[in-house]
Amino acid sequence: MMDVSHDPLPGDAGSPAAQPDDDPRDEPAPFAAVVLLTVAAAAGVMVLGALAPSALNVKFLLFGPIALVVFEIAVHEVWWKRWWGAIPGAVLGLAAYFEGRAALADIVGDGWAHPVAYVTAWALFAAVFAWASRYPRTLA
């Protein structure tokens, strides 16, 4: 005799509700795009600060790259439970900024220490955030 297995169709009464194979919440933040755009925004803030030092204040230093990351989250619909990476990203970024700025000031001077540490800190923040956005996955 032939064993014919019959998989229930999605509309059958006895089968569970049909689940889409690709849950849009499982799409992580695009790593390269988030990191490169955040670095470009941070570098742009530093260039603008060099061209117009009076326009550069703490709010502006934080607003540009953060607005870009929020835009990426909104555009790519990263699931809110996957934003947890912003916390360790911020901690590592701040540590890299303050420790890196102090170390770089001894090597390249104060003039270059701030911009290099600032861009590096934002790059680290974006990389940690984008990597962490891959977890958790939704339950299938």
PDB file of all heavy atoms in Angstrom, residues 34 37-46 48 56-72 118 122 125:
ATOM      1  N   VAL A  34      22.573  51.660   8.419  1.00  0.00           N
ATOM      2  CA  VAL A  34      22.470  52.374   9.701  1.00  0.00           C
ATOM      3  C   VAL A  34      23.830  52.898  10.127  1.00  0.00           C
ATOM      4  O   VAL A  34      23.968  54.057  10.519  1.00  0.00           O
ATOM      5  CB  VAL A  34      21.853  51.462  10.781  1.00  0.00           C
ATOM      6  CG1 VAL A  34      21.983  52.086  12.166  1.00  0.00           C
ATOM      7  CG2 VAL A  34      20.396  51.195  10.479  1.00  0.00           C
ATOM      8  N   LEU A  37      25.161  55.671   7.496  1.00  0.00           N
ATOM      9  CA  LEU A  37      24.409  56.921   7.570  1.00  0.00           C
ATOM     10  C   LEU A  37      24.618  57.628   8.911  1.00  0.00           C
ATOM     11  O   LEU A  37      24.692  58.860   8.956  1.00  0.00           O
ATOM     12  CB  LEU A  37      22.923  56.660   7.323  1.00  0.00           C
ATOM     13  CG  LEU A  37      22.564  56.307   5.885  1.00  0.00           C
ATOM     14  CD1 LEU A  37      21.095  55.908   5.780  1.00  0.00           C
ATOM     15  CD2 LEU A  37      22.858  57.465   4.953  1.00  0.00           C
ATOM     16  N   THR A  38      24.739  56.869   9.990  1.00  0.00           N
ATOM     17  CA  THR A  38      24.997  57.483  11.286  1.00  0.00           C
ATOM     18  C   THR A  38      26.391  58.114  11.320  1.00  0.00           C
ATOM     19  O   THR A  38      26.568  59.224  11.831  1.00  0.00           O
ATOM     20  CB  THR A  38      24.831  56.456  12.421  1.00  0.00           C
ATOM     21  OG1 THR A  38      23.527  55.883  12.326  1.00  0.00           O
ATOM     22  CG2 THR A  38      24.997  57.093  13.771  1.00  0.00           C
ATOM     23  N   VAL A  39      27.370  57.419  10.773  1.00  0.00           N
ATOM     24  CA  VAL A  39      28.729  57.971  10.706  1.00  0.00           C
ATOM     25  C   VAL A  39      28.746  59.215   9.824  1.00  0.00           C
ATOM     26  O   VAL A  39      29.376  60.221  10.174  1.00  0.00           O
ATOM     27  CB  VAL A  39      29.724  56.899  10.207  1.00  0.00           C
ATOM     28  CG1 VAL A  39      31.050  57.520   9.816  1.00  0.00           C
ATOM     29  CG2 VAL A  39      29.922  55.834  11.276  1.00  0.00           C
ATOM     30  N   ALA A  40      28.039  59.175   8.709  1.00  0.00           N
ATOM     31  CA  ALA A  40      27.989  60.341   7.828  1.00  0.00           C
ATOM     32  C   ALA A  40      27.321  61.529   8.534  1.00  0.00           C
ATOM     33  O   ALA A  40      27.778  62.673   8.412  1.00  0.00           O
ATOM     34  CB  ALA A  40      27.244  60.007   6.539  1.00  0.00           C
ATOM     35  N   ALA A  41      26.257  61.250   9.295  1.00  0.00           N
ATOM     36  CA  ALA A  41      25.591  62.329  10.031  1.00  0.00           C
ATOM     37  C   ALA A  41      26.516  62.900  11.113  1.00  0.00           C
ATOM     38  O   ALA A  41      26.591  64.122  11.291  1.00  0.00           O
ATOM     39  CB  ALA A  41      24.300  61.822  10.660  1.00  0.00           C
ATOM     40  N   ALA A  42      27.226  62.032  11.820  1.00  0.00           N
ATOM     41  CA  ALA A  42      28.150  62.500  12.858  1.00  0.00           C
ATOM     42  C   ALA A  42      29.285  63.301  12.245  1.00  0.00           C
ATOM     43  O   ALA A  42      29.683  64.342  12.777  1.00  0.00           O
ATOM     44  CB  ALA A  42      28.692  61.310  13.647  1.00  0.00           C
ATOM     45  N   ALA A  43      29.815  62.826  11.126  1.00  0.00           N
ATOM     46  CA  ALA A  43      30.878  63.568  10.444  1.00  0.00           C
ATOM     47  C   ALA A  43      30.350  64.911   9.938  1.00  0.00           C
ATOM     48  O   ALA A  43      31.047  65.931  10.020  1.00  0.00           O
ATOM     49  CB  ALA A  43      31.445  62.741   9.292  1.00  0.00           C
ATOM     50  N   GLY A  44      29.123  64.924   9.448  1.00  0.00           N
ATOM     51  CA  GLY A  44      28.513  66.175   9.008  1.00  0.00           C
ATOM     52  C   GLY A  44      28.354  67.168  10.144  1.00  0.00           C
ATOM     53  O   GLY A  44      28.577  68.368   9.977  1.00  0.00           O
ATOM     54  N   VAL A  45      27.974  66.667  11.317  1.00  0.00           N
ATOM     55  CA  VAL A  45      27.863  67.530  12.492  1.00  0.00           C
ATOM     56  C   VAL A  45      29.225  68.119  12.834  1.00  0.00           C
ATOM     57  O   VAL A  45      29.345  69.311  13.157  1.00  0.00           O
ATOM     58  CB  VAL A  45      27.266  66.748  13.683  1.00  0.00           C
ATOM     59  CG1 VAL A  45      27.438  67.507  14.987  1.00  0.00           C
ATOM     60  CG2 VAL A  45      25.799  66.448  13.434  1.00  0.00           C
ATOM     61  N   MET A  46      30.274  67.315  12.741  1.00  0.00           N
ATOM     62  CA  MET A  46      31.625  67.811  13.052  1.00  0.00           C
ATOM     63  C   MET A  46      32.093  68.831  12.016  1.00  0.00           C
ATOM     64  O   MET A  46      32.709  69.829  12.363  1.00  0.00           O
ATOM     65  CB  MET A  46      32.622  66.654  13.137  1.00  0.00           C
ATOM     66  CG  MET A  46      32.482  65.810  14.380  1.00  0.00           C
ATOM     67  SD  MET A  46      32.888  66.709  15.899  1.00  0.00           S
ATOM     68  CE  MET A  46      31.280  67.110  16.544  1.00  0.00           C
ATOM     69  N   LEU A  48      30.108  70.784  10.203  1.00  0.00           N
ATOM     70  CA  LEU A  48      29.323  71.984  10.463  1.00  0.00           C
ATOM     71  C   LEU A  48      29.857  72.716  11.694  1.00  0.00           C
ATOM     72  O   LEU A  48      29.920  73.944  11.711  1.00  0.00           O
ATOM     73  CB  LEU A  48      27.851  71.631  10.663  1.00  0.00           C
ATOM     74  CG  LEU A  48      26.904  72.807  10.856  1.00  0.00           C
ATOM     75  CD1 LEU A  48      26.893  73.693   9.616  1.00  0.00           C
ATOM     76  CD2 LEU A  48      25.518  72.309  11.164  1.00  0.00           C
ATOM     77  N   LEU A  56      27.231  75.011  17.113  1.00  0.00           N
ATOM     78  CA  LEU A  56      27.404  73.681  17.696  1.00  0.00           C
ATOM     79  C   LEU A  56      27.166  73.738  19.207  1.00  0.00           C
ATOM     80  O   LEU A  56      27.931  74.332  19.948  1.00  0.00           O
ATOM     81  CB  LEU A  56      28.818  73.178  17.403  1.00  0.00           C
ATOM     82  CG  LEU A  56      29.050  71.685  17.521  1.00  0.00           C
ATOM     83  CD1 LEU A  56      28.164  70.926  16.556  1.00  0.00           C
ATOM     84  CD2 LEU A  56      30.497  71.363  17.233  1.00  0.00           C
ATOM     85  N   ASN A  57      26.070  73.135  19.652  1.00  0.00           N
ATOM     86  CA  ASN A  57      25.815  73.013  21.085  1.00  0.00           C
ATOM     87  C   ASN A  57      25.472  71.558  21.394  1.00  0.00           C
ATOM     88  O   ASN A  57      25.396  70.728  20.501  1.00  0.00           O
ATOM     89  CB  ASN A  57      24.718  73.986  21.553  1.00  0.00           C
ATOM     90  CG  ASN A  57      23.396  73.725  20.856  1.00  0.00           C
ATOM     91  OD1 ASN A  57      23.093  72.608  20.473  1.00  0.00           O
ATOM     92  ND2 ASN A  57      22.601  74.776  20.704  1.00  0.00           N
ATOM     93  N   VAL A  58      25.253  71.254  22.640  1.00  0.00           N
ATOM     94  CA  VAL A  58      25.032  69.864  23.053  1.00  0.00           C
ATOM     95  C   VAL A  58      23.796  69.272  22.399  1.00  0.00           C
ATOM     96  O   VAL A  58      23.813  68.125  21.949  1.00  0.00           O
ATOM     97  CB  VAL A  58      24.925  69.775  24.594  1.00  0.00           C
ATOM     98  CG1 VAL A  58      24.568  68.369  25.031  1.00  0.00           C
ATOM     99  CG2 VAL A  58      26.221  70.207  25.237  1.00  0.00           C
ATOM    100  N   LYS A  59      22.712  70.041  22.300  1.00  0.00           N
ATOM    101  CA  LYS A  59      21.493  69.528  21.674  1.00  0.00           C
ATOM    102  C   LYS A  59      21.757  69.156  20.223  1.00  0.00           C
ATOM    103  O   LYS A  59      21.292  68.138  19.739  1.00  0.00           O
ATOM    104  CB  LYS A  59      20.374  70.563  21.757  1.00  0.00           C
ATOM    105  CG  LYS A  59      19.854  70.788  23.149  1.00  0.00           C
ATOM    106  CD  LYS A  59      18.780  71.860  23.146  1.00  0.00           C
ATOM    107  CE  LYS A  59      18.357  72.194  24.556  1.00  0.00           C
ATOM    108  NZ  LYS A  59      17.396  73.284  24.594  1.00  0.00           N
ATOM    109  N   PHE A  60      22.497  69.986  19.521  1.00  0.00           N
ATOM    110  CA  PHE A  60      22.794  69.707  18.123  1.00  0.00           C
ATOM    111  C   PHE A  60      23.704  68.490  17.990  1.00  0.00           C
ATOM    112  O   PHE A  60      23.555  67.693  17.069  1.00  0.00           O
ATOM    113  CB  PHE A  60      23.425  70.929  17.467  1.00  0.00           C
ATOM    114  CG  PHE A  60      23.609  70.768  15.988  1.00  0.00           C
ATOM    115  CD1 PHE A  60      22.517  70.748  15.147  1.00  0.00           C
ATOM    116  CD2 PHE A  60      24.871  70.624  15.446  1.00  0.00           C
ATOM    117  CE1 PHE A  60      22.683  70.587  13.777  1.00  0.00           C
ATOM    118  CE2 PHE A  60      25.044  70.462  14.085  1.00  0.00           C
ATOM    119  CZ  PHE A  60      23.946  70.450  13.247  1.00  0.00           C
ATOM    120  N   LEU A  61      24.659  68.346  18.909  1.00  0.00           N
ATOM    121  CA  LEU A  61      25.561  67.197  18.859  1.00  0.00           C
ATOM    122  C   LEU A  61      24.792  65.883  18.996  1.00  0.00           C
ATOM    123  O   LEU A  61      25.158  64.878  18.410  1.00  0.00           O
ATOM    124  CB  LEU A  61      26.607  67.285  19.968  1.00  0.00           C
ATOM    125  CG  LEU A  61      27.732  68.281  19.765  1.00  0.00           C
ATOM    126  CD1 LEU A  61      28.563  68.396  21.031  1.00  0.00           C
ATOM    127  CD2 LEU A  61      28.595  67.892  18.597  1.00  0.00           C
ATOM    128  N   LEU A  62      23.738  65.885  19.775  1.00  0.00           N
ATOM    129  CA  LEU A  62      22.960  64.667  19.989  1.00  0.00           C
ATOM    130  C   LEU A  62      21.843  64.494  18.981  1.00  0.00           C
ATOM    131  O   LEU A  62      21.483  63.374  18.629  1.00  0.00           O
ATOM    132  CB  LEU A  62      22.367  64.668  21.400  1.00  0.00           C
ATOM    133  CG  LEU A  62      23.375  64.581  22.532  1.00  0.00           C
ATOM    134  CD1 LEU A  62      22.666  64.708  23.864  1.00  0.00           C
ATOM    135  CD2 LEU A  62      24.159  63.293  22.456  1.00  0.00           C
ATOM    136  N   PHE A  63      21.251  65.579  18.496  1.00  0.00           N
ATOM    137  CA  PHE A  63      20.056  65.484  17.667  1.00  0.00           C
ATOM    138  C   PHE A  63      20.305  64.857  16.297  1.00  0.00           C
ATOM    139  O   PHE A  63      19.537  64.003  15.874  1.00  0.00           O
ATOM    140  CB  PHE A  63      19.415  66.861  17.473  1.00  0.00           C
ATOM    141  CG  PHE A  63      18.188  66.809  16.609  1.00  0.00           C
ATOM    142  CD1 PHE A  63      17.026  66.244  17.091  1.00  0.00           C
ATOM    143  CD2 PHE A  63      18.215  67.288  15.315  1.00  0.00           C
ATOM    144  CE1 PHE A  63      15.898  66.169  16.295  1.00  0.00           C
ATOM    145  CE2 PHE A  63      17.096  67.226  14.516  1.00  0.00           C
ATOM    146  CZ  PHE A  63      15.929  66.666  15.002  1.00  0.00           C
ATOM    147  N   GLY A  64      21.355  65.258  15.611  1.00  0.00           N
ATOM    148  CA  GLY A  64      21.565  64.797  14.236  1.00  0.00           C
ATOM    149  C   GLY A  64      21.618  63.284  14.081  1.00  0.00           C
ATOM    150  O   GLY A  64      20.772  62.690  13.411  1.00  0.00           O
ATOM    151  N   PRO A  65      22.569  62.614  14.692  1.00  0.00           N
ATOM    152  CA  PRO A  65      22.647  61.159  14.548  1.00  0.00           C
ATOM    153  C   PRO A  65      21.463  60.419  15.174  1.00  0.00           C
ATOM    154  O   PRO A  65      21.014  59.418  14.634  1.00  0.00           O
ATOM    155  CB  PRO A  65      23.957  60.803  15.251  1.00  0.00           C
ATOM    156  CG  PRO A  65      24.781  62.042  15.130  1.00  0.00           C
ATOM    157  CD  PRO A  65      23.798  63.157  15.268  1.00  0.00           C
ATOM    158  N   ILE A  66      20.935  60.907  16.293  1.00  0.00           N
ATOM    159  CA  ILE A  66      19.782  60.234  16.899  1.00  0.00           C
ATOM    160  C   ILE A  66      18.572  60.333  15.977  1.00  0.00           C
ATOM    161  O   ILE A  66      17.841  59.365  15.802  1.00  0.00           O
ATOM    162  CB  ILE A  66      19.468  60.819  18.294  1.00  0.00           C
ATOM    163  CG1 ILE A  66      20.524  60.359  19.290  1.00  0.00           C
ATOM    164  CG2 ILE A  66      18.088  60.390  18.767  1.00  0.00           C
ATOM    165  CD1 ILE A  66      20.376  60.937  20.668  1.00  0.00           C
ATOM    166  N   ALA A  67      18.357  61.491  15.375  1.00  0.00           N
ATOM    167  CA  ALA A  67      17.245  61.647  14.433  1.00  0.00           C
ATOM    168  C   ALA A  67      17.407  60.686  13.258  1.00  0.00           C
ATOM    169  O   ALA A  67      16.427  60.118  12.776  1.00  0.00           O
ATOM    170  CB  ALA A  67      17.166  63.084  13.936  1.00  0.00           C
ATOM    171  N   LEU A  68      18.624  60.479  12.817  1.00  0.00           N
ATOM    172  CA  LEU A  68      18.862  59.564  11.705  1.00  0.00           C
ATOM    173  C   LEU A  68      18.539  58.120  12.091  1.00  0.00           C
ATOM    174  O   LEU A  68      17.911  57.389  11.331  1.00  0.00           O
ATOM    175  CB  LEU A  68      20.316  59.671  11.243  1.00  0.00           C
ATOM    176  CG  LEU A  68      20.677  58.874  10.010  1.00  0.00           C
ATOM    177  CD1 LEU A  68      19.896  59.373   8.807  1.00  0.00           C
ATOM    178  CD2 LEU A  68      22.155  58.981   9.749  1.00  0.00           C
ATOM    179  N   VAL A  69      18.934  57.702  13.289  1.00  0.00           N
ATOM    180  CA  VAL A  69      18.633  56.346  13.744  1.00  0.00           C
ATOM    181  C   VAL A  69      17.125  56.169  13.913  1.00  0.00           C
ATOM    182  O   VAL A  69      16.560  55.147  13.509  1.00  0.00           O
ATOM    183  CB  VAL A  69      19.388  56.017  15.050  1.00  0.00           C
ATOM    184  CG1 VAL A  69      18.915  54.707  15.651  1.00  0.00           C
ATOM    185  CG2 VAL A  69      20.886  55.949  14.787  1.00  0.00           C
ATOM    186  N   VAL A  70      16.444  57.170  14.478  1.00  0.00           N
ATOM    187  CA  VAL A  70      14.985  57.093  14.622  1.00  0.00           C
ATOM    188  C   VAL A  70      14.329  57.007  13.253  1.00  0.00           C
ATOM    189  O   VAL A  70      13.371  56.246  13.049  1.00  0.00           O
ATOM    190  CB  VAL A  70      14.457  58.294  15.433  1.00  0.00           C
ATOM    191  CG1 VAL A  70      12.936  58.382  15.382  1.00  0.00           C
ATOM    192  CG2 VAL A  70      14.925  58.198  16.872  1.00  0.00           C
ATOM    193  N   PHE A  71      14.835  57.750  12.280  1.00  0.00           N
ATOM    194  CA  PHE A  71      14.311  57.678  10.918  1.00  0.00           C
ATOM    195  C   PHE A  71      14.477  56.274  10.348  1.00  0.00           C
ATOM    196  O   PHE A  71      13.566  55.726   9.738  1.00  0.00           O
ATOM    197  CB  PHE A  71      15.021  58.698  10.028  1.00  0.00           C
ATOM    198  CG  PHE A  71      14.657  58.576   8.567  1.00  0.00           C
ATOM    199  CD1 PHE A  71      13.444  59.027   8.108  1.00  0.00           C
ATOM    200  CD2 PHE A  71      15.544  57.989   7.666  1.00  0.00           C
ATOM    201  CE1 PHE A  71      13.105  58.912   6.769  1.00  0.00           C
ATOM    202  CE2 PHE A  71      15.211  57.871   6.329  1.00  0.00           C
ATOM    203  CZ  PHE A  71      13.995  58.336   5.879  1.00  0.00           C
ATOM    204  N   GLU A  72      15.646  55.673  10.553  1.00  0.00           N
ATOM    205  CA  GLU A  72      15.877  54.314  10.066  1.00  0.00           C
ATOM    206  C   GLU A  72      14.920  53.326  10.722  1.00  0.00           C
ATOM    207  O   GLU A  72      14.413  52.425  10.082  1.00  0.00           O
ATOM    208  CB  GLU A  72      17.320  53.884  10.340  1.00  0.00           C
ATOM    209  CG  GLU A  72      18.316  54.498   9.402  1.00  0.00           C
ATOM    210  CD  GLU A  72      18.108  54.051   7.972  1.00  0.00           C
ATOM    211  OE1 GLU A  72      17.892  52.852   7.729  1.00  0.00           O
ATOM    212  OE2 GLU A  72      18.150  54.914   7.087  1.00  0.00           O
ATOM    213  N   TYR A 118      34.057  61.566  18.678  1.00  0.00           N
ATOM    214  CA  TYR A 118      32.615  61.747  18.454  1.00  0.00           C
ATOM    215  C   TYR A 118      32.115  60.828  17.347  1.00  0.00           C
ATOM    216  O   TYR A 118      31.130  60.099  17.526  1.00  0.00           O
ATOM    217  CB  TYR A 118      32.343  63.216  18.106  1.00  0.00           C
ATOM    218  CG  TYR A 118      30.906  63.547  17.809  1.00  0.00           C
ATOM    219  CD1 TYR A 118      29.998  63.745  18.837  1.00  0.00           C
ATOM    220  CD2 TYR A 118      30.470  63.679  16.498  1.00  0.00           C
ATOM    221  CE1 TYR A 118      28.680  64.064  18.568  1.00  0.00           C
ATOM    222  CE2 TYR A 118      29.154  63.998  16.224  1.00  0.00           C
ATOM    223  CZ  TYR A 118      28.259  64.187  17.248  1.00  0.00           C
ATOM    224  OH  TYR A 118      26.957  64.491  16.982  1.00  0.00           O
ATOM    225  N   TRP A 122      29.659  57.409  17.754  1.00  0.00           N
ATOM    226  CA  TRP A 122      28.395  57.203  17.046  1.00  0.00           C
ATOM    227  C   TRP A 122      28.453  55.965  16.166  1.00  0.00           C
ATOM    228  O   TRP A 122      27.450  55.257  16.004  1.00  0.00           O
ATOM    229  CB  TRP A 122      28.021  58.438  16.227  1.00  0.00           C
ATOM    230  CG  TRP A 122      27.323  59.458  17.060  1.00  0.00           C
ATOM    231  CD1 TRP A 122      27.817  60.666  17.446  1.00  0.00           C
ATOM    232  CD2 TRP A 122      26.024  59.347  17.640  1.00  0.00           C
ATOM    233  NE1 TRP A 122      26.888  61.318  18.230  1.00  0.00           N
ATOM    234  CE2 TRP A 122      25.784  60.528  18.362  1.00  0.00           C
ATOM    235  CE3 TRP A 122      25.037  58.372  17.619  1.00  0.00           C
ATOM    236  CZ2 TRP A 122      24.600  60.758  19.051  1.00  0.00           C
ATOM    237  CZ3 TRP A 122      23.864  58.598  18.316  1.00  0.00           C
ATOM    238  CH2 TRP A 122      23.649  59.780  19.021  1.00  0.00           C
ATOM    239  N   PHE A 125      27.896  53.102  18.522  1.00  0.00           N
ATOM    240  CA  PHE A 125      26.478  53.055  18.895  1.00  0.00           C
ATOM    241  C   PHE A 125      25.645  52.424  17.782  1.00  0.00           C
ATOM    242  O   PHE A 125      24.833  51.529  18.026  1.00  0.00           O
ATOM    243  CB  PHE A 125      25.956  54.467  19.191  1.00  0.00           C
ATOM    244  CG  PHE A 125      24.458  54.531  19.277  1.00  0.00           C
ATOM    245  CD1 PHE A 125      23.801  54.090  20.415  1.00  0.00           C
ATOM    246  CD2 PHE A 125      23.711  55.005  18.211  1.00  0.00           C
ATOM    247  CE1 PHE A 125      22.412  54.133  20.490  1.00  0.00           C
ATOM    248  CE2 PHE A 125      22.329  55.050  18.271  1.00  0.00           C
ATOM    249  CZ  PHE A 125      21.677  54.618  19.421  1.00  0.00           C
TER     250      PHE A 125
END
